[in-house]
Amino acid sequence: MRTIYVLFSLVLSSLSVLGQNVRPSAAETEEENYNTITTFGITTNTNSGIVGGFSFRQSRLASGELLGMRQYHYISLEVVNVKHPKEIQSSINSVGSRYISGKENYLFVVRPQYGREVKLFQRDDDEGIAVSGILAAGPSLGIIKPYYLEVSFGNTTRSVPASEVNGFATATGETVTGAGSFFQGFGQSKLTVGVNVKAALSFELSAFRSNTTGVEIGFLAEAFPQRIVIIPNQTQGGDRSIGNRSFFTSGYLTLFFGSKK
């Protein structure tokens, strides 16, 4: 621990010296004229598919500097779909439909976050890259929505919650023919509240100073008061929550675009 503390102190001292001794370029002076950065983005993470959700971010210039570097009040709002690691698409060959075998619920999470963004490297010119460090945290509003399946018997077809299906059929003999509508079941959703924290690096790639595009790459940890049942344990007489989690970790990447004022 002492060695880690000493190394950490040396890094902070080095950053402080750099922040005091490096003179800002003309591009950096121009960059300082922008006090608010507002962006929208599409995010993916290791607990989701290719498109994991959407985000809104805004950074407002804060008074004072951190070790000679400009800092911002950072706020964001994310809406993401969190998947179970065992979610696998199954195909029904006779009809060509697909569904997720064993899945009982969706987990959508709304994450308002607040923190600090520190400008680590300014852009040297219109073709440069600005790098910022971000640390933020906030509550997690979990929306647990039933997953629906389409079942049929003879010429009759209907949609039912996956919790009413045992294996490949319902108790009344109807067989699964595919996934139900995504929009079904929102009225039966349950809510849970947790907390989250993230650390990230933001890379601004835009060639236009009044606009911005780039990527935010980071790590997020999230905890809820109980296990969220997405795919229940099917062991007879067992705890249905086994195999599900109350604590989630993920790496994520957000592609963002927006403007600066």
Side-chain angles (χ1 to χ4, degrees):
M1 287 295 295
R2 182 174 179 80
T3 302
I4 294 174
Y5 175 78
V6 171
L7 291 174
F8 183 68
S9 299
L10 290 173
V11 171
L12 290 181
S13 299
S14 301
L15 288 174
S16 179
V17 171
L18 286 173
Q20 293 174 359
N21 295 337
V22 176
R23 296 177 58 84
S25 65
E28 289 174 332
T29 303
E30 183 179 344
E31 183 77 12
E32 292 177 359
N33 293 328
Y34 298 99
N35 296 325
T36 304
I37 305 170
T38 303
T39 64
F40 299 87
I42 300 174
T43 183
T44 184
N45 62 76
T46 52
N47 291 330
S48 73
I50 296 177
V51 177
F54 304 93
S55 70
F56 166 82
R57 312 182 323 158
Q58 188 173 81
S59 300
R60 290 182 176 272
L61 183 65
S63 59
E65 296 183 338
L66 178 65
L67 302 178
M69 297 175 288
R70 288 161 60 84
Q71 61 176 331
Y72 297 80
H73 298 284
Y74 174 93
I75 62 172
S76 71
L77 179 67
E78 301 176 351
V79 181
V80 299
N81 176 24
V82 178
K83 294 186 175 183
H84 192 284
K86 292 185 178 180
E87 289 192 24
I88 300 175
Q89 290 277 351
S90 298
S91 177
I92 302 173
N93 295 329
S94 59
V95 293
S97 297
R98 299 179 69 84
Y99 72 104
I100 301 173
S101 179
K103 184 179 178 73
E104 188 170 294
N105 293 299
Y106 286 103
L107 173 60
F108 301 106
V109 184
V110 181
R111 301 180 184 130
Q113 297 170 327
Y114 174 78
R116 279 290 192 271
E117 178 176 353
V118 178
K119 190 74 71 172
L120 301 177
F121 299 100
Q122 298 279 10
R123 289 145 52 98
D124 292 330
D125 52 50
D126 284 345
E127 299 299 328
I129 297 176
V131 182
S132 299
I134 298 168
L135 182 63
S140 295
L141 176 62
I143 303 172
I144 307 168
K145 187 192 85 69
Y147 178 62
Y148 270 69
L149 293 172
E150 185 179 89
V151 296
S152 66
F153 184 81
N155 295 324
T156 302
T157 300
R158 67 187 181 110
S159 292
V160 299
S163 59
E164 297 182 11
V165 177
N166 184 12
F168 194 69
T170 65
T172 56
E174 298 161 302
T175 58
V176 175
T177 56
S181 170
F182 170 80
F183 298 99
Q184 289 179 297
F186 276 102
Q188 291 78 49
S189 297
K190 298 179 181 179
L191 302 180
T192 184
V193 179
V195 294
N196 69 80
V197 61
K198 74 176 181 181
L201 290 175
S202 176
F203 300 87
E204 182 190 334
L205 310 175
S206 176
F208 303 97
R209 290 198 172 275
S210 60
N211 297 304
T212 180
T213 59
V215 296
E216 179 181 309
I217 303 173
F219 175 84
L220 181 138
E222 184 166 55
F224 292 98
Q226 70 284 321
R227 292 173 180 170
I228 308 297
V229 178
I230 300 175
I231 296 181
N233 172 36
Q234 300 293 348
T235 303
Q236 187 70 28
D239 184 348
R240 298 180 77 254
S241 68
I242 292 176
N244 292 271
R245 294 180 287 174
S246 61
F247 181 72
F248 298 83
T249 58
S250 64
Y252 74 91
L253 182 149
T254 300
L255 301 176
F256 64 80
F257 59 93
S259 62
K260 297 184 288 186
K261 296 182 181 179

